[in-house]
Amino acid sequence: MRKLIEIADKAKVLGKKTRVAVAVAEDANSIGALCRAASEGFVHPILIGNNSRIEGLLRDYTLPAAGYTIVDLPNQDEATREAVRMVKSAEADVLMKGLVGTDKFLKEVLNKERGLLPPKAVMSYTCALELPKYHKLLLISDTAVLPNPDLEQKIAMVNYSVKMAHKLGIAKPKVALITATEKVSSGMPNTIDYALISKMAERGQIKGCVVDGPLDIFLACDPSSLEIKGVDTPSVAMPTSASFPIWKPPMPSTKG
Amino acid sequence: MHCEHDLEAATKAVALINAGEGDFLMKGLLSTDRYMRAILNKEQGLMNPGAILSHITVAEPKNYHKLLIFGDVAIIPLPDLNQKVAITNYLIKTAHFLGIERPKVGLLAASEQTLPKIPSCADAAIISKMAQRGQIKGGIIEGPLGMDLIIDHESAVIKGMKSEVCGDADCILFPNIEAGNTFYKTIVKLLKSELCAIVMGARVPCVLTSRGDSERSKLYSIALAAMLA
């Protein structure tokens, strides 16, 4: 996949209408995106929030009344709680954050009784990037949720990225585990974790992908540096997905 | 040369090496701790700063198609990652001296799975990745592997393990002294196999035979030390 638009194209041809519960659906960009997705036929938005504000925003679009649902809950906490409840009770398929703070939103998602996280599950963030100078989409994680993931969380991150790549039609995604160097040393704990993860993949304990790490971003994304450094990782020279040990380095690229 | 006490004799032997009058050291009728004390002595011993002393065995096990080089069965009880890397390098160096160009090294663990909570599995995975990255050179290194996969080709086929080390290992890295020492004694006593051994990591090879070793075994150890010296 080269372009993000291909993701929307793919969603269109799937032929199912995904019900999206939107917590506090009161911002123009969210409503605009949802109306477009609804008019292309792959989404049924459930807009939860202040009824009059939502209707005001909808006036700019020509979506038939049957194409969406409004739930009038002007209180932000209640709106978020309702959106989470709908997903939990299978009345909606996907949860979306509208005009509400991330902390309020995640607090409901992570709520032990009402929330959406199964016990011991790892929550992480995967991002698909369309980079002008890279020949395909690049999935990167975690740029937002896990500040300093441990080994188990890193494994979960790899599995999420692989799952996402599969859904995008990439049968055997190449996963690069990114740190500052390709050398393994006990002085750099991330290189140790990455050596373990790549060996686990070699042994079939992580499936459906090709994994290599530790690698630096040059080795992962630029084949010429493989030759220069003499590192033998041809199968991963062009990764579909990159896992970062901490979320500081990838932030600049996600923000633009 | 006349010496009254055994420690004095050991110190004298080490002094001769340091003076360039001996090429390698051999233990006779004295206890291992006194012998080691002379080697490890900070001022007059045989150690370079930061060097790791380890014991390497070369065995001729019955029912195996070639010699097996392994360690550490005697000196380091529970090697950490750095010590394991050092031992792996000693195994490879010994194999090179024996004429094996690219020795196959199996890193022994409880399972071939990379189980992060089992130290033998985790360290083996890390060392084999280090080898992939060229941080350990001169051999083909694979691990974690169970003993069955290291020495038996058929087990590797059944388990679908494709490494060329499997069933054809020249060297075995043991994760701890219990595993190594038990293996050593098992092949000597149950399989009646011959072996020889050497201490590496000092400035010269040191022969550390046990009082129970046969004359032939001592001869082979001397030959091995002579080759490495």
Side-chain angles (χ1 to χ4, degrees), chain B residues 52-56 71-72 75-76 83 86-87 90 198-201:
Chain B
I52 292 165
L53 203 68
S54 181
H55 185 271
I56 301 297
D72 182 322
I75 293 182
I76 307 176
Q83 289 170 321
I87 299 167
Y90 294 149
I198 200 172
V199 175
M200 293 180 78

Side-chain angles (χ1 to χ4, degrees), chain B residues 72-124:
Chain B
D72 182 322
V73 306
I75 293 182
I76 307 176
L78 187 60
D80 63 17
L81 182 62
N82 286 341
Q83 289 170 321
K84 282 177 182 169
V85 171
I87 299 167
T88 304
N89 281 320
Y90 294 149
L91 295 172
I92 292 170
K93 190 176 168 187
T94 306
H96 286 169
F97 272 101
L98 298 180
I100 305 159
E101 257 177 58
R102 280 185 67 71
K104 298 168 183 172
V105 184
L107 309 172
L108 183 76
S111 159
E112 77 281 6
Q113 300 280 97
T114 302
L115 306 170
K117 286 187 180 135
I118 298 183
S120 61
C121 292
D123 281 357

Side-chain angles (χ1 to χ4, degrees), chain A residues 151-152 155 182-186 192 194-196 198-200 202-203 205 211-215 231-233, chain B residues 81-82 112-117 121-126 128-130 132-133 135 141-145 161:
Chain A
L151 179 65
E152 259 174 63
I155 294 167
E182 77 283 5
K183 298 271 195 274
V184 182
S185 80
S186 48
I192 296 288
Y194 286 169
L196 292 172
S198 78
K199 198 76 200 183
M200 290 174 91
E202 214 180 292
R203 290 283 191 266
Q205 296 165 256
V211 178
D212 198 14
L215 288 170
V231 173
D232 182 24
T233 173
Chain B
L81 182 62
N82 286 341
E112 77 281 6
Q113 300 280 97
T114 302
L115 306 170
K117 286 187 180 135
C121 292
D123 281 357
I126 292 161
S128 98
K129 194 75 205 182
M130 291 174 86
Q132 272 178 35
R133 289 287 188 263
Q135 296 168 259
I141 298 172
E142 183 58 78
L145 290 172
M161 190 65 66

Side-chain angles (χ1 to χ4, degrees), chain A residues 121-180:
Chain A
V122 175
M123 188 164 79
S124 178
Y125 187 93
T126 299
C127 176
L129 295 179
E130 181 185 315
L131 300 159
K133 296 209 169 159
Y134 199 57
H135 62 292
K136 55 183 174 182
L137 292 186
L138 187 63
L139 310 183
I140 66 170
S141 71
D142 178 326
T143 58
V145 173
L146 297 169
N148 195 6
D150 62 20
L151 179 65
E152 259 174 63
Q153 290 169 324
K154 284 177 183 137
I155 294 167
M157 283 159 63
V158 170
N159 282 323
Y160 290 147
S161 295
V162 168
K163 190 177 170 186
M164 187 156 148
H166 287 167
K167 293 274 181 194
L168 297 180
I170 303 152
K172 216 167 169 64
K174 298 169 182 172
V175 184
L177 311 171
I178 302 297
T179 173

Side-chain angles (χ1 to χ4, degrees), chain A:
Chain A
M1 242 182 213
R2 294 179 55 92
K3 300 273 175 198
L4 290 171
I5 185 95
E6 292 172 59
I7 296 178
D9 293 341
K10 212 171 168 66
K12 244 186 286 179
V13 299
L14 282 178
K16 64 170 185 190
K17 223 180 251 297
T18 304
R19 299 162 300 172
V20 183
V22 189
V24 195
E26 297 172 20
D27 68 300
N29 282 344
S30 296
I31 295 282
L34 286 160
C35 284
R36 221 176 124 180
S39 62
E40 291 188 346
F42 62 88
V43 151
H44 179 94
I46 304 163
L47 307 168
I48 307 164
N50 182 309
N51 186 48
S52 59
R53 275 194 214 143
I54 293 169
E55 287 198 322
L57 289 164
L58 280 172
R59 234 168 266 143
D60 294 337
Y61 304 91
T62 53
L63 202 61
Y68 61 91
T69 308
I70 295 179
V71 179
D72 183 24
L73 279 171
N75 180 294
Q76 285 200 350
D77 293 327
E78 283 174 37
T80 307
R81 202 172 303 154
E82 175 61 7
V84 169
R85 187 203 62 77
M86 289 184 90
V87 172
K88 200 176 171 101
S89 61
E91 293 166 48
D93 308 300
V94 170
L95 183 70
M96 180 171 165
K97 169 177 167 299
L99 197 63
V100 60
T102 301
D103 54 337
K104 268 190 192 174
F105 182 75
L106 288 184
K107 212 166 127 192
E108 276 306 313
V109 173
L110 293 170
N111 183 287
K112 281 212 178 112
E113 284 93 45
R114 301 187 302 266
L116 296 175
L117 217 62
K120 290 190 180 168
V122 175
M123 188 164 79
S124 178
Y125 187 93
T126 299
C127 176
L129 295 179
E130 181 185 315
L131 300 159
K133 296 209 169 159
Y134 199 57
H135 62 292
K136 55 183 174 182
L137 292 186
L138 187 63
L139 310 183
I140 66 170
S141 71
D142 178 326
T143 58
V145 173
L146 297 169
N148 195 6
D150 62 20
L151 179 65
E152 259 174 63
Q153 290 169 324
K154 284 177 183 137
I155 294 167
M157 283 159 63
V158 170
N159 282 323
Y160 290 147
S161 295
V162 168
K163 190 177 170 186
M164 187 156 148
H166 287 167
K167 293 274 181 194
L168 297 180
I170 303 152
K172 216 167 169 64
K174 298 169 182 172
V175 184
L177 311 171
I178 302 297
T179 173
T181 170
E182 77 283 5
K183 298 271 195 274
V184 182
S185 80
S186 48
M188 290 181 70
N190 281 317
T191 68
I192 296 288
D193 280 0
Y194 286 169
L196 292 172
I197 295 172
S198 78
K199 198 76 200 183
M200 290 174 91
E202 214 180 292
R203 290 283 191 266
Q205 296 165 256
I206 296 170
K207 293 180 174 53
C209 57
V210 181
V211 178
D212 198 14
L215 288 170
D216 68 12
I217 194 80
F218 290 138
L219 288 167
C221 298
D222 175 19
S224 69
S225 58
L226 285 175
E227 284 167 37
I228 296 165
K229 287 201 173 182
V231 173
D232 182 24
T233 173
S235 55
V236 194
M238 287 290 162
T240 342
S241 163
S243 272
F244 291 84
I246 48 173
W247 48 254
K248 277 196 182 128
M251 282 303 260
S253 48
T254 56
K255 293 211 161 156

